[in-house]
Amino acid sequence: MKLYSIAILLKTPEGKGKILTSKNELSSFGYFQRSTVSEFMVFTSKILVERTATASRASVKEREYICHVYVRSDNLSGVVIADHEYPQRVAHTLINKVLDEFQEKCPKPNWSTIKENEAPYPQLTELLQKYQNPKEADAMTKIQSELDETKIILHNTIEAVLQRGEKLDDLVEKSEGLSQQSKTFYITKKMAAFLLPLVEKCSLI
Amino acid sequence: MADSRGPRLFADLNNVFKRDPNIDEYDILPVLEPTHNRSPFLLQEHKLGVEAWAVKVLMKYVATRLIGWRSQNPLVKFIDPTEVLNLTRALILFNPDNYTAWNVRKELVESGFLNIADDLQFGALVLSKHPKSAETFIHRRWLFQQLLDHCLSSSLDSNGSVAAVPENNADSSISMDLIDVDIVASPENDGLLSMDQSLECSRLFKLHTQLEMRVCARAAERYQCNYHAWSHRIWIIQHCLNCSLQVLLSEMKETEAWNSTHISDHSGFHYRQFLLTELHKRQEKLSLLSISPGQLVHREMAYVCDLIRSYPGHETLWYHRRFLFCFMLNTHPLDQDTKLSCKSSNGFSVYRDQGEEALKRHKTFLIAQELESVNTKQKLESSSKYNHMLLGKYVHWLQTLLTST
């Protein structure tokens, strides 16, 4: 059960996803993979927020990961990336909690003026650690009942979230947030998103 | 072109390891073509990165040389052991299941050229990239066997009566760090030198066993359901720690937290099943610590039920529950009592029949109880369809048990 990343974004009036703040827990990845993984987490978070309608929730499966996304009616959005063991409802409850807390620390008028990834919310690191084990973080029974009744839409791949005519390959290619190394990773393995590091197998000799 | 780059890359790699003997992780970097004139080996904070194109070239060179050396000149073995050792290292790093290379390393250990501790460290490095490499674990078991033999023979030198000792000493402490796997016997030794030697040996052995548990834990973390890592851990417990009671208990405690955050890792739960079974075999000793095996199993049952409630929809948890329930059925205290009464009585067959009857009634009662608890408690909570299906399967299993008793 692993919680890899929590990101808070703003869906701008132009429909773009802007990262306000985000934190990753990537110790389970290899040392040299972490920067690539982290770039792809940001990339994925943005795509999901951009493709998710205002005031809706979704959980998107992508190989051994699940990305949970919620875009509030005021366009403040949260993305949690976890593995399959991590309970879906806990992830969505966590997004609610994080967004509420964030709003207290950083009120609405500031959102549009803050520079990318510079919003002050130092408590996020601690939350990310605490929620690694949901049983310790919160009474599980409470969590089960607490979540509001907004329906969670399920998607089986990131491709399924994309709009008609869009291809993940093209998005990766065009992205400015991904380094050349990350793109090579993506292209050579012909695998979606940030997932290659785990599945990657050396097939030499 | 490939031919001329091979030897240089090989020399480069050897230099990297010379520069930093404590490399603890390595990986292949996605650089498909040489883009600059620098070395393709990147060293940062004891981590080694190798550009992908270089791996291909290097492997071709190393494999041809090592296999060529081994098949053509059986008479000139160990003509340059350092070189041979480096060749196996380069080969295994990128192809850990090449057992020819591992076997060459075994020969080097036997001839005293390669230190066991160094080889263990190298294996741990390989596992950082290939956490479920079976050959690597097998080689480690061989190394531990060497260590054990070494310890036994050195303590034999200093003291004649070794055979009975490990059992005693292994049960003398509680925490994993304090566990004493001393193979050395009593202090009344004659040769001081050899005593020092055997003390040193057992100290080393203890250290390596502890490190090994950490290696296993790391490999299990890196690869889900890592059967090889967990069965290696079982092997260590059995062969290097004599299944001592304290080890078993401390392992139960230690893996509890791990398992509650790895709820679909069947290998991890199987490890706990192994621990419980071993503990049950030692129930006389357990009772000296005023713990009954029944108590342990009941605790485990409560633990897994709690996990099922918190994380619905994981088959592994249900299978663990099946194991525990079977365990309870077959090892119930009543079982023991009836067996005892059978033995002591003269009217042998009569009592046994009664005992069996009672046992049967008791089992039926237990199953009915379990059925009821599943049906009432969990039906309400199982939200997802999948969890409902798992629950249905468990109920069905219980019912077949009921009809077969």
PDB file of all heavy atoms in Angstrom, chain A residues 1-2 30-33 85 87 133-135 140 184-185 188 200 202 204, chain B residues 25 27 32 44-45 47-49 55 94 221 224 261 263-264 306 310-311:
ATOM      1  N   MET A   1       0.835  -1.183   0.000  1.00  0.00           N
ATOM      2  CA  MET A   1       0.000   0.000   0.000  1.00  0.00           C
ATOM      3  C   MET A   1       0.873   1.237   0.000  1.00  0.00           C
ATOM      4  O   MET A   1       1.612   1.454   0.943  1.00  0.00           O
ATOM      5  CB  MET A   1      -0.849  -0.024   1.264  1.00  0.00           C
ATOM      6  CG  MET A   1      -1.916   0.984   1.291  1.00  0.00           C
ATOM      7  SD  MET A   1      -2.974   0.715   2.698  1.00  0.00           S
ATOM      8  CE  MET A   1      -3.220  -1.046   2.665  1.00  0.00           C
ATOM      9  N   LYS A   2       0.832   1.976  -1.086  1.00  0.00           N
ATOM     10  CA  LYS A   2       1.729   3.127  -1.174  1.00  0.00           C
ATOM     11  C   LYS A   2       1.011   4.346  -1.709  1.00  0.00           C
ATOM     12  O   LYS A   2       0.187   4.265  -2.608  1.00  0.00           O
ATOM     13  CB  LYS A   2       2.908   2.801  -2.088  1.00  0.00           C
ATOM     14  CG  LYS A   2       3.834   1.819  -1.456  1.00  0.00           C
ATOM     15  CD  LYS A   2       5.175   1.775  -2.122  1.00  0.00           C
ATOM     16  CE  LYS A   2       6.068   0.783  -1.437  1.00  0.00           C
ATOM     17  NZ  LYS A   2       5.689  -0.622  -1.723  1.00  0.00           N
ATOM     18  N   GLY A  30      13.820   3.427  -7.766  1.00  0.00           N
ATOM     19  CA  GLY A  30      15.274   3.469  -7.860  1.00  0.00           C
ATOM     20  C   GLY A  30      15.774   4.911  -7.894  1.00  0.00           C
ATOM     21  O   GLY A  30      15.063   5.809  -8.363  1.00  0.00           O
ATOM     22  N   TYR A  31      16.948   5.107  -7.404  1.00  0.00           N
ATOM     23  CA  TYR A  31      17.536   6.435  -7.287  1.00  0.00           C
ATOM     24  C   TYR A  31      17.487   7.206  -8.610  1.00  0.00           C
ATOM     25  O   TYR A  31      17.112   8.370  -8.656  1.00  0.00           O
ATOM     26  CB  TYR A  31      18.982   6.267  -6.820  1.00  0.00           C
ATOM     27  CG  TYR A  31      19.768   7.543  -6.710  1.00  0.00           C
ATOM     28  CD1 TYR A  31      19.675   8.335  -5.576  1.00  0.00           C
ATOM     29  CD2 TYR A  31      20.616   7.946  -7.748  1.00  0.00           C
ATOM     30  CE1 TYR A  31      20.401   9.499  -5.471  1.00  0.00           C
ATOM     31  CE2 TYR A  31      21.348   9.110  -7.643  1.00  0.00           C
ATOM     32  CZ  TYR A  31      21.240   9.884  -6.509  1.00  0.00           C
ATOM     33  OH  TYR A  31      21.954  11.040  -6.407  1.00  0.00           O
ATOM     34  N   PHE A  32      17.859   6.526  -9.702  1.00  0.00           N
ATOM     35  CA  PHE A  32      17.958   7.222 -10.988  1.00  0.00           C
ATOM     36  C   PHE A  32      16.596   7.403 -11.660  1.00  0.00           C
ATOM     37  O   PHE A  32      16.485   8.101 -12.659  1.00  0.00           O
ATOM     38  CB  PHE A  32      18.897   6.470 -11.928  1.00  0.00           C
ATOM     39  CG  PHE A  32      20.323   6.540 -11.475  1.00  0.00           C
ATOM     40  CD1 PHE A  32      20.910   5.464 -10.834  1.00  0.00           C
ATOM     41  CD2 PHE A  32      21.069   7.692 -11.666  1.00  0.00           C
ATOM     42  CE1 PHE A  32      22.220   5.530 -10.408  1.00  0.00           C
ATOM     43  CE2 PHE A  32      22.382   7.763 -11.243  1.00  0.00           C
ATOM     44  CZ  PHE A  32      22.962   6.678 -10.610  1.00  0.00           C
ATOM     45  N   GLN A  33      15.587   6.732 -11.143  1.00  0.00           N
ATOM     46  CA  GLN A  33      14.264   6.843 -11.762  1.00  0.00           C
ATOM     47  C   GLN A  33      13.436   7.963 -11.150  1.00  0.00           C
ATOM     48  O   GLN A  33      12.454   8.393 -11.734  1.00  0.00           O
ATOM     49  CB  GLN A  33      13.506   5.523 -11.596  1.00  0.00           C
ATOM     50  CG  GLN A  33      14.186   4.381 -12.299  1.00  0.00           C
ATOM     51  CD  GLN A  33      13.640   3.034 -11.859  1.00  0.00           C
ATOM     52  OE1 GLN A  33      12.887   2.954 -10.900  1.00  0.00           O
ATOM     53  NE2 GLN A  33      14.037   1.990 -12.545  1.00  0.00           N
ATOM     54  N   GLU A  85      -3.533  -1.187  -3.873  1.00  0.00           N
ATOM     55  CA  GLU A  85      -3.953  -1.588  -2.540  1.00  0.00           C
ATOM     56  C   GLU A  85      -4.588  -0.425  -1.785  1.00  0.00           C
ATOM     57  O   GLU A  85      -5.372  -0.621  -0.883  1.00  0.00           O
ATOM     58  CB  GLU A  85      -2.742  -2.096  -1.738  1.00  0.00           C
ATOM     59  CG  GLU A  85      -2.260  -3.471  -2.138  1.00  0.00           C
ATOM     60  CD  GLU A  85      -1.121  -3.954  -1.255  1.00  0.00           C
ATOM     61  OE1 GLU A  85      -0.570  -3.128  -0.489  1.00  0.00           O
ATOM     62  OE2 GLU A  85      -0.779  -5.128  -1.343  1.00  0.00           O
ATOM     63  N   PRO A  87      -6.933   2.175  -0.471  1.00  0.00           N
ATOM     64  CA  PRO A  87      -8.395   2.249  -0.609  1.00  0.00           C
ATOM     65  C   PRO A  87      -8.842   3.540  -1.296  1.00  0.00           C
ATOM     66  O   PRO A  87      -8.409   4.626  -0.938  1.00  0.00           O
ATOM     67  CB  PRO A  87      -8.892   2.220   0.837  1.00  0.00           C
ATOM     68  CG  PRO A  87      -7.741   1.788   1.658  1.00  0.00           C
ATOM     69  CD  PRO A  87      -6.503   2.132   0.931  1.00  0.00           C
ATOM     70  N   ASN A 133      -0.014   4.843   5.916  1.00  0.00           N
ATOM     71  CA  ASN A 133      -0.801   3.779   6.532  1.00  0.00           C
ATOM     72  C   ASN A 133      -2.140   4.351   6.973  1.00  0.00           C
ATOM     73  O   ASN A 133      -2.239   4.955   8.030  1.00  0.00           O
ATOM     74  CB  ASN A 133      -0.040   3.189   7.721  1.00  0.00           C
ATOM     75  CG  ASN A 133      -0.759   1.987   8.304  1.00  0.00           C
ATOM     76  OD1 ASN A 133      -1.897   1.690   7.933  1.00  0.00           O
ATOM     77  ND2 ASN A 133      -0.109   1.311   9.224  1.00  0.00           N
ATOM     78  N   PRO A 134      -3.174   4.167   6.163  1.00  0.00           N
ATOM     79  CA  PRO A 134      -4.456   4.815   6.446  1.00  0.00           C
ATOM     80  C   PRO A 134      -5.042   4.430   7.804  1.00  0.00           C
ATOM     81  O   PRO A 134      -5.755   5.217   8.422  1.00  0.00           O
ATOM     82  CB  PRO A 134      -5.370   4.349   5.315  1.00  0.00           C
ATOM     83  CG  PRO A 134      -4.622   3.365   4.534  1.00  0.00           C
ATOM     84  CD  PRO A 134      -3.196   3.389   4.932  1.00  0.00           C
ATOM     85  N   LYS A 135      -4.726   3.228   8.269  1.00  0.00           N
ATOM     86  CA  LYS A 135      -5.261   2.810   9.573  1.00  0.00           C
ATOM     87  C   LYS A 135      -4.736   3.683  10.699  1.00  0.00           C
ATOM     88  O   LYS A 135      -5.421   3.957  11.664  1.00  0.00           O
ATOM     89  CB  LYS A 135      -4.900   1.354   9.837  1.00  0.00           C
ATOM     90  CG  LYS A 135      -5.878   0.389   9.220  1.00  0.00           C
ATOM     91  CD  LYS A 135      -5.499  -1.037   9.529  1.00  0.00           C
ATOM     92  CE  LYS A 135      -6.119  -1.533  10.795  1.00  0.00           C
ATOM     93  NZ  LYS A 135      -7.568  -1.744  10.652  1.00  0.00           N
ATOM     94  N   MET A 140     -10.697   4.156  10.243  1.00  0.00           N
ATOM     95  CA  MET A 140     -11.153   3.743   8.918  1.00  0.00           C
ATOM     96  C   MET A 140     -12.670   3.804   8.797  1.00  0.00           C
ATOM     97  O   MET A 140     -13.205   4.179   7.774  1.00  0.00           O
ATOM     98  CB  MET A 140     -10.690   2.325   8.615  1.00  0.00           C
ATOM     99  CG  MET A 140      -9.225   2.188   8.482  1.00  0.00           C
ATOM    100  SD  MET A 140      -8.625   2.872   6.936  1.00  0.00           S
ATOM    101  CE  MET A 140      -9.451   1.810   5.771  1.00  0.00           C
ATOM    102  N   THR A 184      12.701  10.116 -23.549  1.00  0.00           N
ATOM    103  CA  THR A 184      13.367   8.929 -24.098  1.00  0.00           C
ATOM    104  C   THR A 184      12.862   7.686 -23.396  1.00  0.00           C
ATOM    105  O   THR A 184      12.583   6.666 -24.019  1.00  0.00           O
ATOM    106  CB  THR A 184      14.888   9.024 -23.912  1.00  0.00           C
ATOM    107  OG1 THR A 184      15.294  10.355 -24.109  1.00  0.00           O
ATOM    108  CG2 THR A 184      15.599   8.091 -24.869  1.00  0.00           C
ATOM    109  N   PHE A 185      12.767   7.784 -22.087  1.00  0.00           N
ATOM    110  CA  PHE A 185      12.237   6.696 -21.283  1.00  0.00           C
ATOM    111  C   PHE A 185      10.900   6.258 -21.850  1.00  0.00           C
ATOM    112  O   PHE A 185      10.651   5.096 -22.139  1.00  0.00           O
ATOM    113  CB  PHE A 185      11.988   7.182 -19.846  1.00  0.00           C
ATOM    114  CG  PHE A 185      12.730   6.415 -18.817  1.00  0.00           C
ATOM    115  CD1 PHE A 185      13.476   7.066 -17.846  1.00  0.00           C
ATOM    116  CD2 PHE A 185      12.697   5.025 -18.793  1.00  0.00           C
ATOM    117  CE1 PHE A 185      14.166   6.364 -16.894  1.00  0.00           C
ATOM    118  CE2 PHE A 185      13.377   4.318 -17.842  1.00  0.00           C
ATOM    119  CZ  PHE A 185      14.111   4.988 -16.885  1.00  0.00           C
ATOM    120  N   THR A 188      11.121   5.019 -25.814  1.00  0.00           N
ATOM    121  CA  THR A 188      11.813   3.758 -26.064  1.00  0.00           C
ATOM    122  C   THR A 188      11.009   2.580 -25.560  1.00  0.00           C
ATOM    123  O   THR A 188      10.968   1.538 -26.173  1.00  0.00           O
ATOM    124  CB  THR A 188      13.185   3.717 -25.402  1.00  0.00           C
ATOM    125  OG1 THR A 188      13.010   4.027 -24.031  1.00  0.00           O
ATOM    126  CG2 THR A 188      14.131   4.683 -26.061  1.00  0.00           C
ATOM    127  N   GLU A 200      10.150  -2.173 -16.162  1.00  0.00           N
ATOM    128  CA  GLU A 200      11.296  -2.262 -17.036  1.00  0.00           C
ATOM    129  C   GLU A 200      12.131  -3.497 -16.723  1.00  0.00           C
ATOM    130  O   GLU A 200      12.434  -3.795 -15.590  1.00  0.00           O
ATOM    131  CB  GLU A 200      12.141  -0.998 -16.828  1.00  0.00           C
ATOM    132  CG  GLU A 200      13.302  -0.941 -17.729  1.00  0.00           C
ATOM    133  CD  GLU A 200      14.471  -0.323 -17.004  1.00  0.00           C
ATOM    134  OE1 GLU A 200      14.443  -0.195 -15.770  1.00  0.00           O
ATOM    135  OE2 GLU A 200      15.428   0.002 -17.701  1.00  0.00           O
ATOM    136  N   CYS A 202      15.593  -5.729 -18.075  1.00  0.00           N
ATOM    137  CA  CYS A 202      16.684  -5.687 -19.023  1.00  0.00           C
ATOM    138  C   CYS A 202      16.718  -6.999 -19.796  1.00  0.00           C
ATOM    139  O   CYS A 202      16.769  -8.075 -19.231  1.00  0.00           O
ATOM    140  CB  CYS A 202      17.959  -5.366 -18.270  1.00  0.00           C
ATOM    141  SG  CYS A 202      19.297  -6.453 -18.478  1.00  0.00           S
ATOM    142  N   LEU A 204      18.842  -8.322 -22.210  1.00  0.00           N
ATOM    143  CA  LEU A 204      20.048  -8.381 -23.016  1.00  0.00           C
ATOM    144  C   LEU A 204      20.507  -9.809 -23.086  1.00  0.00           C
ATOM    145  O   LEU A 204      20.004 -10.669 -22.396  1.00  0.00           O
ATOM    146  CB  LEU A 204      21.113  -7.501 -22.364  1.00  0.00           C
ATOM    147  CG  LEU A 204      20.603  -6.072 -22.165  1.00  0.00           C
ATOM    148  CD1 LEU A 204      21.135  -5.516 -20.899  1.00  0.00           C
ATOM    149  CD2 LEU A 204      20.972  -5.210 -23.326  1.00  0.00           C
TER     150      LEU A 204
ATOM    151  N   GLU B  25      23.455   0.544  -5.006  1.00  0.00           N
ATOM    152  CA  GLU B  25      22.322   0.486  -5.921  1.00  0.00           C
ATOM    153  C   GLU B  25      22.825   0.813  -7.321  1.00  0.00           C
ATOM    154  O   GLU B  25      23.783   1.570  -7.462  1.00  0.00           O
ATOM    155  CB  GLU B  25      21.285   1.534  -5.488  1.00  0.00           C
ATOM    156  CG  GLU B  25      19.907   1.313  -6.055  1.00  0.00           C
ATOM    157  CD  GLU B  25      18.949   2.441  -5.677  1.00  0.00           C
ATOM    158  OE1 GLU B  25      18.856   2.774  -4.476  1.00  0.00           O
ATOM    159  OE2 GLU B  25      18.313   2.985  -6.596  1.00  0.00           O
ATOM    160  N   ASP B  27      21.499   1.096 -11.752  1.00  0.00           N
ATOM    161  CA  ASP B  27      20.363   1.107 -12.656  1.00  0.00           C
ATOM    162  C   ASP B  27      20.848   1.396 -14.072  1.00  0.00           C
ATOM    163  O   ASP B  27      21.969   1.864 -14.266  1.00  0.00           O
ATOM    164  CB  ASP B  27      19.366   2.186 -12.223  1.00  0.00           C
ATOM    165  CG  ASP B  27      17.952   1.807 -12.624  1.00  0.00           C
ATOM    166  OD1 ASP B  27      17.800   0.958 -13.510  1.00  0.00           O
ATOM    167  OD2 ASP B  27      17.012   2.368 -12.043  1.00  0.00           O
ATOM    168  N   LEU B  32      20.311   5.777 -25.286  1.00  0.00           N
ATOM    169  CA  LEU B  32      20.399   4.669 -26.250  1.00  0.00           C
ATOM    170  C   LEU B  32      21.616   4.753 -27.148  1.00  0.00           C
ATOM    171  O   LEU B  32      22.111   3.748 -27.648  1.00  0.00           O
ATOM    172  CB  LEU B  32      19.139   4.637 -27.100  1.00  0.00           C
ATOM    173  CG  LEU B  32      17.863   4.455 -26.279  1.00  0.00           C
ATOM    174  CD1 LEU B  32      16.652   4.448 -27.179  1.00  0.00           C
ATOM    175  CD2 LEU B  32      17.934   3.176 -25.473  1.00  0.00           C
ATOM    176  N   GLN B  44      26.811   8.538  -8.246  1.00  0.00           N
ATOM    177  CA  GLN B  44      26.269   9.580  -7.370  1.00  0.00           C
ATOM    178  C   GLN B  44      25.831   8.957  -6.060  1.00  0.00           C
ATOM    179  O   GLN B  44      25.039   8.028  -6.073  1.00  0.00           O
ATOM    180  CB  GLN B  44      25.040  10.228  -8.019  1.00  0.00           C
ATOM    181  CG  GLN B  44      25.353  11.360  -8.969  1.00  0.00           C
ATOM    182  CD  GLN B  44      24.090  11.815  -9.692  1.00  0.00           C
ATOM    183  OE1 GLN B  44      22.981  11.449  -9.343  1.00  0.00           O
ATOM    184  NE2 GLN B  44      24.283  12.623 -10.722  1.00  0.00           N
ATOM    185  N   GLU B  45      26.309   9.480  -4.965  1.00  0.00           N
ATOM    186  CA  GLU B  45      25.882   9.011  -3.629  1.00  0.00           C
ATOM    187  C   GLU B  45      25.834   7.491  -3.542  1.00  0.00           C
ATOM    188  O   GLU B  45      24.826   6.913  -3.139  1.00  0.00           O
ATOM    189  CB  GLU B  45      24.494   9.566  -3.299  1.00  0.00           C
ATOM    190  CG  GLU B  45      24.446  11.072  -3.244  1.00  0.00           C
ATOM    191  CD  GLU B  45      23.019  11.547  -2.998  1.00  0.00           C
ATOM    192  OE1 GLU B  45      22.315  10.891  -2.213  1.00  0.00           O
ATOM    193  OE2 GLU B  45      22.623  12.564  -3.586  1.00  0.00           O
ATOM    194  N   LYS B  47      25.414   5.419  -5.763  1.00  0.00           N
ATOM    195  CA  LYS B  47      24.530   4.782  -6.732  1.00  0.00           C
ATOM    196  C   LYS B  47      25.219   4.838  -8.093  1.00  0.00           C
ATOM    197  O   LYS B  47      25.779   5.861  -8.469  1.00  0.00           O
ATOM    198  CB  LYS B  47      23.188   5.510  -6.848  1.00  0.00           C
ATOM    199  CG  LYS B  47      22.641   6.036  -5.550  1.00  0.00           C
ATOM    200  CD  LYS B  47      21.999   4.954  -4.715  1.00  0.00           C
ATOM    201  CE  LYS B  47      21.367   5.558  -3.493  1.00  0.00           C
ATOM    202  NZ  LYS B  47      21.667   4.855  -2.254  1.00  0.00           N
ATOM    203  N   LEU B  48      25.107   3.721  -8.818  1.00  0.00           N
ATOM    204  CA  LEU B  48      25.760   3.651 -10.117  1.00  0.00           C
ATOM    205  C   LEU B  48      24.717   3.620 -11.230  1.00  0.00           C
ATOM    206  O   LEU B  48      23.808   2.798 -11.223  1.00  0.00           O
ATOM    207  CB  LEU B  48      26.630   2.388 -10.179  1.00  0.00           C
ATOM    208  CG  LEU B  48      27.176   1.982 -11.537  1.00  0.00           C
ATOM    209  CD1 LEU B  48      28.198   2.992 -12.026  1.00  0.00           C
ATOM    210  CD2 LEU B  48      27.809   0.594 -11.462  1.00  0.00           C
ATOM    211  N   GLY B  49      24.851   4.538 -12.180  1.00  0.00           N
ATOM    212  CA  GLY B  49      23.967   4.531 -13.339  1.00  0.00           C
ATOM    213  C   GLY B  49      24.768   4.149 -14.575  1.00  0.00           C
ATOM    214  O   GLY B  49      25.877   4.640 -14.771  1.00  0.00           O
ATOM    215  N   VAL B  55      25.625  -0.993 -21.826  1.00  0.00           N
ATOM    216  CA  VAL B  55      25.339  -2.310 -21.259  1.00  0.00           C
ATOM    217  C   VAL B  55      25.435  -3.370 -22.344  1.00  0.00           C
ATOM    218  O   VAL B  55      26.055  -4.420 -22.177  1.00  0.00           O
ATOM    219  CB  VAL B  55      23.927  -2.325 -20.632  1.00  0.00           C
ATOM    220  CG1 VAL B  55      23.575  -3.714 -20.156  1.00  0.00           C
ATOM    221  CG2 VAL B  55      23.856  -1.340 -19.478  1.00  0.00           C
ATOM    222  N   PHE B  94      24.140  -7.409 -14.860  1.00  0.00           N
ATOM    223  CA  PHE B  94      23.102  -7.178 -15.860  1.00  0.00           C
ATOM    224  C   PHE B  94      22.379  -8.449 -16.265  1.00  0.00           C
ATOM    225  O   PHE B  94      21.433  -8.406 -17.025  1.00  0.00           O
ATOM    226  CB  PHE B  94      23.710  -6.475 -17.072  1.00  0.00           C
ATOM    227  CG  PHE B  94      24.364  -5.180 -16.681  1.00  0.00           C
ATOM    228  CD1 PHE B  94      25.735  -5.053 -16.652  1.00  0.00           C
ATOM    229  CD2 PHE B  94      23.581  -4.113 -16.270  1.00  0.00           C
ATOM    230  CE1 PHE B  94      26.330  -3.871 -16.246  1.00  0.00           C
ATOM    231  CE2 PHE B  94      24.163  -2.929 -15.864  1.00  0.00           C
ATOM    232  CZ  PHE B  94      25.548  -2.803 -15.852  1.00  0.00           C
ATOM    233  N   GLU B 221      10.102  -5.479  -0.351  1.00  0.00           N
ATOM    234  CA  GLU B 221       9.523  -4.154  -0.541  1.00  0.00           C
ATOM    235  C   GLU B 221       9.586  -3.757  -2.016  1.00  0.00           C
ATOM    236  O   GLU B 221       8.691  -3.120  -2.542  1.00  0.00           O
ATOM    237  CB  GLU B 221      10.309  -3.154   0.311  1.00  0.00           C
ATOM    238  CG  GLU B 221       9.730  -1.775   0.403  1.00  0.00           C
ATOM    239  CD  GLU B 221       8.376  -1.759   1.089  1.00  0.00           C
ATOM    240  OE1 GLU B 221       8.269  -2.336   2.182  1.00  0.00           O
ATOM    241  OE2 GLU B 221       7.433  -1.163   0.532  1.00  0.00           O
ATOM    242  N   GLN B 224       6.495  -6.881  -5.364  1.00  0.00           N
ATOM    243  CA  GLN B 224       5.338  -7.428  -4.673  1.00  0.00           C
ATOM    244  C   GLN B 224       5.271  -8.943  -4.809  1.00  0.00           C
ATOM    245  O   GLN B 224       5.649  -9.490  -5.838  1.00  0.00           O
ATOM    246  CB  GLN B 224       4.083  -6.790  -5.248  1.00  0.00           C
ATOM    247  CG  GLN B 224       3.103  -6.420  -4.183  1.00  0.00           C
ATOM    248  CD  GLN B 224       1.715  -6.282  -4.731  1.00  0.00           C
ATOM    249  OE1 GLN B 224       1.465  -6.539  -5.898  1.00  0.00           O
ATOM    250  NE2 GLN B 224       0.804  -5.870  -3.883  1.00  0.00           N
ATOM    251  N   THR B 261       0.248  -3.123   5.742  1.00  0.00           N
ATOM    252  CA  THR B 261       0.309  -2.180   4.628  1.00  0.00           C
ATOM    253  C   THR B 261       0.643  -2.896   3.316  1.00  0.00           C
ATOM    254  O   THR B 261       0.912  -2.259   2.310  1.00  0.00           O
ATOM    255  CB  THR B 261       1.343  -1.067   4.868  1.00  0.00           C
ATOM    256  OG1 THR B 261       2.581  -1.674   5.208  1.00  0.00           O
ATOM    257  CG2 THR B 261       0.906  -0.130   5.956  1.00  0.00           C
ATOM    258  N   ILE B 263      -1.445  -5.633   1.965  1.00  0.00           N
ATOM    259  CA  ILE B 263      -2.566  -6.539   2.179  1.00  0.00           C
ATOM    260  C   ILE B 263      -2.829  -7.483   1.022  1.00  0.00           C
ATOM    261  O   ILE B 263      -3.655  -8.359   1.136  1.00  0.00           O
ATOM    262  CB  ILE B 263      -3.849  -5.735   2.456  1.00  0.00           C
ATOM    263  CG1 ILE B 263      -3.873  -4.562   1.508  1.00  0.00           C
ATOM    264  CG2 ILE B 263      -3.897  -5.284   3.894  1.00  0.00           C
ATOM    265  CD1 ILE B 263      -5.105  -3.766   1.562  1.00  0.00           C
ATOM    266  N   SER B 264      -2.155  -7.300  -0.115  1.00  0.00           N
ATOM    267  CA  SER B 264      -2.367  -8.300  -1.162  1.00  0.00           C
ATOM    268  C   SER B 264      -1.077  -9.058  -1.460  1.00  0.00           C
ATOM    269  O   SER B 264      -0.918  -9.633  -2.510  1.00  0.00           O
ATOM    270  CB  SER B 264      -2.945  -7.663  -2.420  1.00  0.00           C
ATOM    271  OG  SER B 264      -2.167  -6.574  -2.811  1.00  0.00           O
ATOM    272  N   ASP B 306      -9.872  -7.802  11.177  1.00  0.00           N
ATOM    273  CA  ASP B 306      -9.827  -6.345  11.196  1.00  0.00           C
ATOM    274  C   ASP B 306      -9.369  -5.807   9.838  1.00  0.00           C
ATOM    275  O   ASP B 306      -9.937  -4.849   9.319  1.00  0.00           O
ATOM    276  CB  ASP B 306      -8.876  -5.891  12.309  1.00  0.00           C
ATOM    277  CG  ASP B 306      -8.798  -4.386  12.395  1.00  0.00           C
ATOM    278  OD1 ASP B 306      -9.864  -3.746  12.340  1.00  0.00           O
ATOM    279  OD2 ASP B 306      -7.663  -3.852  12.496  1.00  0.00           O
ATOM    280  N   SER B 310     -11.329  -3.385   7.179  1.00  0.00           N
ATOM    281  CA  SER B 310     -10.799  -2.086   6.763  1.00  0.00           C
ATOM    282  C   SER B 310     -10.546  -2.018   5.267  1.00  0.00           C
ATOM    283  O   SER B 310     -10.737  -0.985   4.652  1.00  0.00           O
ATOM    284  CB  SER B 310      -9.482  -1.789   7.482  1.00  0.00           C
ATOM    285  OG  SER B 310      -9.636  -1.930   8.857  1.00  0.00           O
ATOM    286  N   TYR B 311     -10.058  -3.112   4.691  1.00  0.00           N
ATOM    287  CA  TYR B 311      -9.715  -3.085   3.270  1.00  0.00           C
ATOM    288  C   TYR B 311     -10.479  -4.165   2.523  1.00  0.00           C
ATOM    289  O   TYR B 311      -9.948  -5.235   2.251  1.00  0.00           O
ATOM    290  CB  TYR B 311      -8.208  -3.304   3.089  1.00  0.00           C
ATOM    291  CG  TYR B 311      -7.354  -2.357   3.873  1.00  0.00           C
ATOM    292  CD1 TYR B 311      -6.587  -2.795   4.942  1.00  0.00           C
ATOM    293  CD2 TYR B 311      -7.311  -1.006   3.521  1.00  0.00           C
ATOM    294  CE1 TYR B 311      -5.795  -1.912   5.658  1.00  0.00           C
ATOM    295  CE2 TYR B 311      -6.522  -0.124   4.239  1.00  0.00           C
ATOM    296  CZ  TYR B 311      -5.769  -0.584   5.306  1.00  0.00           C
ATOM    297  OH  TYR B 311      -5.000   0.289   6.011  1.00  0.00           O
TER     298      TYR B 311
END
